Amino acid sequence: MRKGVVTQLASYIARKKGNTENAAARALKDEQLALWMSDRDHWRDSCPLNADLADSLTLIPVIDDRVATATTDGRSIYFDARFSAPLDAEHRRYLQAHLTWHCALGYLLPASSSSDMWHLAWDHEINSLLLQQGYMLPTSAVLFFSKVPYPAHEVHDWLLTHPALEQEVTTDRLYEECVIPLPSSQASLDTDFTPTPPDSRLVETWRSHTRMLANDYRWTHHLPAPIATRLKHLS
C-alpha cells in the first residue's frame, strides 16, 4: 500500500506547482493540509493502527463544491479546505479516522439500489468502532444507539423499516456522490480533485491490508477486543 502513496503524493506536489489558483486559496489549502498531516502524527502515539491505515491514503485539500465536506476513493482523502477550517482538532481527527475506516473495512462500493442506506449503515458501524477507540463523535455523526454492536449489513436491513430515514444525514460523501454534475455554472471546481472510481480489487486489497495490521496489533491495548473480533472476520 505504501508504494502507491509515494506516487500519488509526488503527483499532488507536481500539480500544486502548476496551479494557478489565487494565493488565498493556496494558503488555506496548505494550512489545512498541515493540520491533517499533524493529526496523523498525533495518532503515532495515541492510535498507531489508525496512523498505519492512513499512511496508505494521500491527503489532498480542495476547494470544490462537489466535495463539500470530505470523501475518499480508497486511494486519497479529499477534503474541502473551507469546510475543514472551522473544525476543532477533535472533529477533524474524527473525520479523517472515519474516512480511513471506510477504506479499512472496504466500505467504498454501495449497491446502487440503496446506496443512501448502505452509506448510513457503514457510517454507523464505523462510528461504533471509533467510539471503542476512544473518539468523541460530533453531534452530526450517524449512530443508532440501539444498534451499536451490530455490523453494517444488519443495520442496513433494519433501516429498511426506519420511519424517518430522510432525517438521517451523513457528513462525509461517497465517491459516487461527488461525481454528479452540479447544476450551477458558478460552482467551485478544483483541478486537484481527481478521484478514481474504486473497484472490487481495491476493496479486497484494503481488507487484506487491514487484516494484516490487525494481526500486528492483536493483544495490544491499541486494538480493543471487539474491534479485533470484527476484523478477524473481515471479508
Side-chain angles (χ1 to χ4, degrees):
M1 298 290 286
R2 297 296 294 273
K3 183 178 179 180
V5 172
V6 175
T7 302
Q8 293 170 41
L9 183 57
S11 176
Y12 171 57
I13 291 172
R15 290 201 304 275
K16 279 184 66 179
K17 289 180 179 178
N19 205 316
T20 59
E21 65 193 347
N22 66 57
R26 287 199 304 273
L28 177 61
K29 289 164 65 173
D30 289 347
E31 172 193 75
Q32 292 305 306
L33 177 60
L35 290 173
W36 282 61
M37 292 180 70
S38 70
D39 292 337
R40 291 188 178 186
D41 292 337
H42 171 81
W43 288 342
R44 302 292 171 198
D45 295 322
S46 65
C47 198
L49 171 59
N50 287 6
D52 286 348
L53 288 168
D55 278 345
S56 295
L57 292 161
T58 303
L59 288 170
I60 302 181
V62 296
I63 295 178
D64 196 302
D65 292 338
R66 292 168 296 181
V67 178
T69 57
T71 188
T72 181
D73 60 358
R75 301 169 179 86
S76 301
I77 288 177
Y78 296 92
F79 61 94
D80 193 291
R82 299 165 300 181
F83 170 79
S84 174
L87 301 182
D88 59 26
E90 209 167 61
H91 192 158
R92 196 178 57 243
R93 288 168 186 163
Y94 153 76
L95 184 56
Q96 183 173 177
H98 180 94
L99 290 164
T100 298
W101 276 93
H102 257 287
C103 300
L105 297 176
Y107 288 164
L108 299 167
L109 292 168
S112 57
S113 58
S114 57
S115 60
D116 290 345
M117 280 191 291
W118 274 116
H119 194 181
L120 287 169
W122 289 348
D123 278 10
H124 164 84
E125 182 178 0
I126 292 167
N127 291 337
S128 298
L129 295 178
L130 293 180
L131 273 179
Q132 295 173 65
Q133 288 187 328
Y135 282 83
M136 294 291 292
L137 304 186
T139 56
S140 58
V142 173
L143 191 70
F144 307 108
F145 288 100
S146 65
K147 300 295 178 182
V148 166
Y150 291 75
H153 70 275
E154 293 186 28
V155 175
H156 173 270
D157 292 345
W158 172 75
L159 285 172
L160 292 171
T161 60
H162 193 293
L165 196 61
E166 69 281 356
Q167 296 180 13
E168 305 296 343
V169 181
T170 59
T171 300
D172 63 312
R173 308 193 70 193
L174 298 179
Y175 165 84
E176 64 177 23
E177 298 169 332
C178 296
V179 294
I180 299 173
L182 296 174
S184 173
S185 60
Q186 303 301 315
S188 294
L189 303 177
D190 195 320
T191 56
D192 285 335
F193 183 53
T194 56
T196 303
D199 54 32
S200 58
R201 182 177 180 181
L202 178 63
V203 167
E204 180 47 43
T205 298
W206 262 110
R207 288 175 173 165
S208 176
H209 183 58
T210 302
R211 288 192 295 266
M212 179 193 71
L213 288 176
N215 190 59
D216 290 343
Y217 283 100
R218 200 172 301 278
W219 314 122
T220 75
H221 70 280
H222 294 300
L223 185 64
I227 300 180
T229 300
R230 171 68 182 90
L231 298 186
K232 183 178 180 181
H233 301 291
L234 183 63
S235 61

